[in-house]
Amino acid sequence: NAGVTQTPKFQVLKTGQSMTLQCAQDMNHEYMSWYRQDPGMGLRLIHYSVGAGITDQGEVPNGYNVSRSTTEDFPLRLLSAAPSQTSVYFCASITWDGSEAFFGQGTRLTVV
Amino acid sequence: GENVEQHPSTLSVQEGDSAVIKCTYSDSASNYFPWYKQELGKRPQLIIDIRSNVGEKKDQRIAVTLNKTAKHFSLHITETQPEDSAVYFCAATSTNTGGFKTIFGAGTRLFVKA
């Protein structure tokens, strides 16, 4: 039981490049979400999903896309990276009643 | 929109002293309030939580209190130890027809000096 697996751990992109952050969970949770963590701003919700085929926007969705084709996977796509997207990204898989979020290891993304 | 305010942003205490972190939330529909601890370079992990029908919950050296009327909740750590040094996040979860949404506070960096 690996929990939440998030890759890559580190990434450097040039402005305008695209990339996908991968997230997979093996706990059979319906609810998954993506957060970005910036100094002094805590964890801000980007997108979330309440089940396969269902996604919705969080607080800061602009510049990001998500899809949920399976219960296990919830990738986050940056369409055209900007320096403002430099951050640490966390994927989370959440129990059915919202009582606990299990976070991935995080991705430190730098956009130059 | 909904938000969660957390204070202080930084807290420094002497080992053995108590630490208190306070949060306020805006969404009246919030009914669950977890606290997460994030050690340096690691992922956040749940340490304690409280539901809206409870005013206080205790687990060894940590306790949480909730005042629903004032929309305040707090984390109390007694007899602090150096290993309590970390960033602590409060959060408020509200349930809606599509599921639920969790909003986090900005975090408090706690330093426990030996």
Side-chain angles (χ1 to χ4, degrees):
Chain A
N1 189 331
V4 180
T5 303
Q6 183 182 338
T7 58
K9 196 169 183 181
F10 300 97
Q11 182 71 50
V12 178
L13 290 178
K14 293 182 179 178
T15 297
Q17 285 185 315
S18 62
M19 77 159 295
T20 300
L21 279 64
Q22 302 291 344
C23 179
Q25 54 95 4
D26 60 2
M27 297 175 282
N28 204 32
H29 291 160
E30 293 292 334
Y31 195 101
M32 297 182 73
S33 56
W34 277 100
Y35 292 89
R36 59 177 287 173
Q37 183 176 23
D38 301 293
M41 302 188 77
L43 293 158
R44 290 185 293 167
L45 183 65
I46 304 172
H47 285 284
Y48 65 101
S49 168
V50 298
I54 307 169
T55 64
D56 205 349
Q57 296 180 351
E59 303 167 77
V60 287
N62 293 341
Y64 308 94
N65 271 1
V66 292
S67 59
R68 187 90 180 274
S69 56
T70 66
T71 299
E72 294 77 18
D73 300 298
F74 189 43
L76 177 74
R77 281 182 289 277
L78 280 72
L79 308 174
S80 177
S84 60
Q85 294 179 303
T86 293
S87 186
V88 179
Y89 292 84
F90 284 99
C91 171
S93 178
I94 306 173
T95 53
W96 67 273
D97 60 352
S99 62
E100 184 166 2
F102 295 86
F103 288 88
Q105 65 177 354
T107 298
R108 185 172 293 277
L109 174 68
T110 302
V111 182
V112 297
Chain B
E2 305 94 344
N3 76 303
V4 175
E5 292 189 4
Q6 182 172 349
H7 299 281
S9 57
T10 306
L11 179 59
S12 183
V13 300
Q14 203 67 37
E15 182 179 2
D17 287 350
S18 295
V20 180
I21 302 170
K22 298 182 178 182
C23 291
T24 60
Y25 61 97
S26 61
D27 187 355
S28 300
S30 297
N31 54 11
Y32 173 70
F33 307 90
W35 287 86
Y36 287 81
K37 177 183 180 181
Q38 184 181 28
E39 296 177 352
L40 188 62
K42 297 191 176 180
R43 70 194 78 187
Q45 292 190 296
L46 180 71
I47 54 170
I48 196 168
D49 55 34
I50 191 167
R51 295 198 177 273
S52 59
N53 58 349
V54 175
E56 184 173 357
K57 183 176 179 180
K58 197 171 182 180
D59 183 3
Q60 298 181 339
R61 294 187 299 108
I62 58 174
V64 289
T65 59
L66 171 65
N67 182 330
K68 276 216 81 176
T69 303
K71 296 183 185 172
H72 290 170
F73 58 114
S74 302
L75 176 72
H76 304 250
I77 306 174
T78 58
E79 300 172 31
T80 54
Q81 301 167 2
E83 52 264 39
D84 294 330
S85 296
V87 177
Y88 291 82
F89 293 99
C90 63
T93 298
S94 59
T95 305
N96 53 48
T97 53
F100 48 81
K101 183 183 289 187
T102 296
I103 303 295
F104 285 84
T108 296
R109 187 173 293 277
L110 174 64
F111 297 96
V112 180
K113 296 175 287 187

